[in-house]
Amino acid sequence: MNILKMIEQYREEEEQLKWEGTFAEYLEIVKEKPWVAQSSHSRVYNMINDQGSETINGKKRYKFFSNELFGLEEALERLIEEYFHPAAKRLDVRKRILLLMGPVSGGKSTLVSLLKRGMEAYSRTDRGAVYAIKGCPMHEDPLHLIPLHLREEFYKEYGIRIEGNLSPLNTMRLEEEYGGRIEDVRVERIFFSEDKRVGIGTFSPSDPKSQDIADLTGSIDFSTIAEYGSESDPRAYRFDGELNKANRGLMEFQEMLKCDEKFLWHLLSLTQEGNFKAGRFALISADEMIVAHTNETEYRSFIANKKNEALHSRIIVMPVPYNLKLSEEEKIYEKMINESDVADVHIAPHTLKVAAMFTILTRLKEPKRGDIDLIKKMRLYDGESVEGFNTADVEQLMKEYQDEGMGGIDPRYVINRISSTIIRKEVASINALDVLRSLKEGLDQHASITNELREKYLNFISAARKEYDNIAKKEVQKAFVYSYEESAKTLMDNYLDNVEAYCNKSKLRDPLTGEEISPDEKLMRSIEEQIGISENAKKAFREEILIRISAYARKGKRFDYQSHDRLREAIQQKLFADLKDIVKITTSSKTPDEQQLKKINEVVARLIDDYGYNSVSANELLRYVGSLLNR
């Protein structure tokens, strides 16, 4: 299907969604689908909730955010459960401004943008349908037409509470256009659109001296004063401020605390009473969720000012820290690169992971416990199993600092350095060393980094480099193993046979001679030593393996190479250790012989086919590992 056909199909779908009728007909819709009369807060919550959620590693992940925001599960869960959900239930938090506070490039703007785009799409669905009085510049709720004295009866019949009064303009139109006949007032379905200024508003502060309050609340149309004779005639007023246009939906205050105070005071009655003052009219009702964002420094300055106390109590602050999970940070970079014009450049495996290591290390705070360093903490936060630590330890670490993640390097800096690497290298491939080098060079150009912080960050780059050295050596050594999985399984089976004989105090039978032989202690220890199993601990470790084998057997499963993480690691390291000399000689030879050259070509092919390298990055990796092994 070409693009013009898709546009035509979209236009047809939009035509089918349109609806227009009388208020009487609208009431029939309300009776059948009461959710069309929901509040703006309820609509936002249902929009998120309708897409569902899943629990991963004990953390609730809302699918609405899953492809755009990474590593913020806890912050998002708190936001939804402590603000959106109770606000949707008409509890008092709906009368608060939602202020997202966090470091630059931490996801605040992305979060608000997601809510806006989500609301636009949701208003086109049956569950998110929105209806308004036709011709109203504020897309007013048709239920405001119900007189105050009848609203209790309306609630008893429909189960819907009506809040807010009919606007001055629609009060006049009701009398003049419809002769007071509420049932005849025309109602239409509307679709939220930030571009068309329907249900979504955005206010951004500019120069306080030149910015007019009309940007928020609308203004008098002086060209119509002669026609209507009075500034208090609602027809002589432009209801085109951001608060007017965001009615029924969402209003974003960008950098709210940079606003002049006169703009903030307008939010007091809007949040608490659901109305605001505009022109020479009575208070105008508005139903909209107000979302603002700021950084921590500005927020601290704001609350320190006693003049802002009245606004403090009308704000709910939701911290949005940086992501602290390594694998999630990697996803952020992948997303940002895929959205750029360099998405076709080959990025060698582990490049983004190593960059993410540096970034996460800058955000973590030193553990108060002496038995753990930042590298281990980073791994634990990412859900890796670290010997000697469990889930309770991770929870304890997370409680040590309330503000962890509110500082450190932002993702934009890292992407800028990756971009710089791609442009400067002028090849179709970059690797982890290229990016680490660029990150190091960029620290000198980062205006906000002090000399002390720079030294600290250089140490983190060194730590990330050491981690990469280990990854690179393992990657090459794995590629050197012919039929690696088969070799590993054979070694595993051999080890398990010996462990079973050792624990049962029995003998093994030599497959060639048929004679009985004792368990091969040398073989078992050569494997166990790879993961630090001491002589004293070997018996307990072997018995644990035997118990695990029995447990698998009872369930009708076979204990294999993938069944025990630590044993698998030990088998891998044993194979690597046996291969080290071969790898060293082959990768470092400047003039490899025919046999070595054949082996190198096999390894390069395996790195390309099985591990995601291209020919350039595979050869770079081999040269680097050769230099490491020769040090």
Side-chain angles (χ1 to χ4, degrees):
M1 186 183 290
N2 65 33
I3 190 66
L4 292 178
K5 284 279 187 187
M6 293 170 72
I7 291 171
E8 184 182 349
Q9 184 178 329
Y10 177 84
R11 191 165 55 242
E12 289 172 0
E13 288 172 359
E14 193 156 74
E15 282 299 318
Q16 290 172 5
L17 289 173
K18 287 180 180 177
W19 181 90
E20 184 180 326
T22 63
F23 179 69
E25 291 168 330
Y26 170 67
L27 284 182
E28 292 302 314
I29 294 176
V30 172
K31 186 169 280 188
E32 183 186 346
K33 303 174 182 178
W35 60 82
V36 300
Q38 64 189 322
S39 68
S40 59
H41 291 80
S42 177
R43 191 171 284 110
V44 172
Y45 173 71
N46 287 329
M47 169 188 72
I48 297 167
N49 210 42
D50 285 356
Q51 288 199 23
S53 61
E54 54 190 343
T55 302
I56 300 174
N57 297 325
K59 303 294 180 188
K60 196 170 186 179
R61 176 177 290 181
Y62 288 89
K63 292 180 181 178
F64 179 82
F65 302 105
S66 58
N67 294 325
E68 297 291 337
L69 292 171
F70 304 98
L72 295 178
E73 287 80 17
E74 287 184 19
L76 291 172
E77 186 176 356
R78 184 183 168 200
L79 172 63
I80 291 161
E81 296 305 322
E82 294 185 18
Y83 183 79
F84 289 154
H85 193 181
K89 297 293 185 185
R90 295 182 180 270
L91 292 171
D92 213 46
V93 293
R94 72 193 169 100
K95 298 178 179 179
R96 308 285 182 272
I97 299 166
L98 174 61
L99 179 62
L100 305 174
M101 181 188 69
V104 295
S105 190
K108 302 184 299 296
S109 297
T110 303
L111 198 163
V112 177
S113 181
L114 278 175
L115 293 176
K116 287 178 176 179
R117 301 294 80 78
M119 289 285 274
E120 289 177 340
Y122 195 58
S123 69
R124 296 172 59 82
T125 68
D126 186 58
R127 283 272 295 161
V130 189
Y131 295 82
I133 296 173
K134 188 179 180 184
C136 173
M138 285 184 59
H139 342 290
E140 187 164 8
D141 185 347
L143 295 184
H144 284 182
L145 290 162
I146 303 287
L148 291 176
H149 67 278
L150 295 178
R151 290 185 180 182
E152 192 59 40
E153 290 300 317
F154 181 84
Y155 175 68
K156 288 176 183 176
E157 183 177 349
Y158 287 81
I160 296 169
R161 294 192 185 280
I162 303 171
E163 294 182 349
N165 298 316
L166 198 61
S167 66
L169 179 62
N170 285 323
T171 300
M172 177 177 281
R173 290 179 63 207
L174 176 62
E175 294 303 320
E176 295 194 357
E177 293 180 30
Y178 298 103
R181 290 181 57 81
I182 291 171
E183 62 271 31
D184 293 341
V185 174
R186 302 299 291 178
V187 175
E188 64 179 347
R189 183 173 178 181
I190 61 169
F191 305 101
F192 288 162
S193 168
E194 184 173 21
D195 293 338
K196 295 177 182 177
R197 301 186 74 213
V198 178
I200 297 174
T202 304
F203 183 81
S204 184
S206 59
D207 180 10
K209 294 178 182 176
S210 61
Q211 192 157 35
D212 193 343
I213 200 70
D215 294 348
L216 269 187
T217 60
S219 59
I220 296 168
D221 184 354
F222 289 102
S223 65
T224 62
I225 295 295
E227 181 182 352
Y228 298 119
S230 169
E231 291 183 13
S232 60
D233 190 309
R235 293 169 299 180
Y237 196 84
R238 293 193 187 101
F239 294 91
D240 60 356
E242 294 303 322
L243 293 181
N244 306 108
K245 294 300 182 181
N247 186 34
R248 313 294 301 287
L250 185 146
M251 169 75 188
E252 177 191 8
F253 255 82
Q254 296 178 347
E255 303 296 341
M256 185 183 89
L257 303 185
K258 288 179 180 175
C259 282
D260 188 79
E261 288 176 5
K262 66 183 179 184
F263 292 91
L264 297 182
W265 297 130
H266 267 276
L267 302 181
L268 289 177
S269 65
L270 179 58
T271 52
Q272 196 64 36
E273 307 298 336
N275 51 46
F276 63 93
K277 190 77 172 75
R280 296 181 180 180
F281 308 114
L283 291 170
I284 296 174
S285 297
D287 169 33
E288 54 200 81
M289 176 186 287
I290 299 177
V291 185
H293 40 88
T294 189
N295 59 52
E296 193 172 7
T297 305
E298 284 176 355
Y299 178 69
R300 300 295 170 210
S301 174
F302 174 76
I303 60 173
N305 187 344
K306 294 293 184 184
K307 288 196 297 183
N308 297 324
E309 281 183 352
L311 206 53
H312 294 177
S313 62
R314 289 169 172 81
I315 292 176
I316 281 190
V317 180
M318 285 289 170
V320 183
Y322 282 135
N323 159 58
L324 296 176
K325 294 177 183 174
L326 180 61
S327 54
E328 296 294 309
E329 189 72 14
E330 204 175 341
K331 289 176 187 174
I332 294 172
Y333 302 154
E334 286 171 357
K335 173 179 171 276
M336 294 171 90
I337 287 168
N338 288 335
E339 291 171 349
S340 73
D341 290 335
V342 295
D344 57 336
V345 172
H346 174 76
I347 298 176
H350 312 297
T351 299
L352 299 183
K353 181 177 183 177
V354 172
M357 281 181 187
F358 161 71
T359 315
I360 297 296
L361 288 171
T362 68
R363 298 171 185 172
L364 294 176
K365 297 204 171 189
E366 285 288 346
K368 294 175 181 177
R369 293 172 54 168
D371 59 343
I372 186 168
D373 57 21
L374 280 180
I375 294 289
K376 283 182 181 175
K377 185 176 184 179
M378 176 181 72
R379 287 180 175 151
L380 286 167
Y381 273 21
D382 201 38
E384 283 188 48
S385 58
V386 176
E387 189 177 357
F389 298 94
N390 55 35
T391 309
D393 294 313
V394 179
E395 291 173 358
Q396 185 184 345
L397 282 169
M398 289 179 169
K399 290 175 182 174
E400 284 185 345
Y401 299 99
Q402 292 297 312
D403 60 343
E404 191 167 47
M406 297 300 277
I409 290 291
D410 64 278
R412 285 186 195 140
Y413 169 76
V414 178
I415 285 297
N416 289 345
R417 299 316 303 168
I418 291 173
S419 304
S420 173
T421 305
I422 291 169
I423 300 302
R424 188 175 52 197
K425 203 174 177 190
E426 293 184 344
V427 292
S429 175
I430 64 167
N431 59 38
L433 295 176
D434 296 326
V435 172
L436 285 176
R437 199 177 298 117
S438 183
L439 287 170
K440 184 177 180 180
E441 291 168 1
L443 293 178
D444 293 328
Q445 304 163 23
H446 207 297
S448 64
I449 294 178
T450 62
N451 288 335
E452 183 183 353
L453 208 52
R454 183 176 179 277
E455 288 303 312
K456 189 177 178 182
Y457 287 177
L458 287 174
N459 289 335
F460 292 148
I461 289 175
S462 298
R465 166 79 178 270
K466 285 178 186 173
E467 290 296 303
Y468 176 66
D469 289 352
N470 292 330
I471 292 169
K473 283 188 280 190
K474 282 185 179 180
E475 198 94 308
V476 169
Q477 287 168 339
K478 265 202 297 190
F480 259 86
V481 180
Y482 180 73
S483 298
Y484 170 71
E485 291 290 328
E486 287 304 315
S487 302
K489 287 171 185 174
T490 302
L491 185 57
M492 168 80 96
D493 290 340
N494 198 356
Y495 173 79
L496 293 178
D497 288 342
N498 281 275
V499 164
E500 194 169 1
Y502 169 86
C503 291
N504 294 331
K505 296 183 172 58
S506 60
K507 300 278 187 179
L508 291 165
R509 193 169 293 279
D510 189 295
L512 294 177
T513 66
E515 64 178 303
E516 287 190 334
I517 53 175
S518 298
D520 189 341
E521 185 66 24
K522 186 177 178 182
L523 170 73
M524 290 187 287
R525 290 303 295 142
S526 70
I527 291 170
E528 291 156 358
E529 284 170 351
Q530 301 296 329
I531 52 172
I533 303 294
S534 66
E535 184 71 25
N536 293 333
K538 70 180 184 183
K539 185 172 183 291
F541 182 74
R542 292 170 189 176
E543 287 173 347
E544 181 211 324
I545 296 293
L546 202 62
I547 291 168
R548 184 77 68 91
I549 292 171
S550 300
Y552 269 69
R554 282 197 305 274
K555 295 175 183 175
K557 297 180 182 177
R558 186 177 179 277
F559 186 90
D560 61 19
Y561 174 61
Q562 302 291 339
S563 301
H564 195 287
D565 291 342
R566 293 193 67 211
L567 183 55
R568 183 170 72 247
E569 184 186 349
I571 295 289
Q572 288 177 0
Q573 291 190 22
K574 168 63 177 165
L575 285 171
F576 297 160
D578 293 345
L579 276 171
K580 187 172 181 180
D581 289 339
I582 300 171
V583 175
K584 186 175 176 182
I585 292 165
T586 311
T587 56
S588 60
S589 177
K590 291 182 180 176
T591 54
D593 59 30
E594 187 178 341
Q595 192 63 29
Q596 288 172 334
L597 197 58
K598 183 184 176 186
K599 192 68 180 172
I600 287 172
N601 289 336
E602 283 179 4
V603 171
V604 168
R606 194 162 289 117
L607 286 169
I608 293 171
D609 295 340
D610 297 345
Y611 299 103
Y613 291 84
N614 67 2
S615 59
V616 174
S617 60
N619 280 289
E620 286 175 342
L621 179 70
L622 282 177
R623 285 195 295 272
Y624 180 62
V625 170
S627 70
L628 285 177
L629 295 174
N630 276 303
R631 285 178 189 171

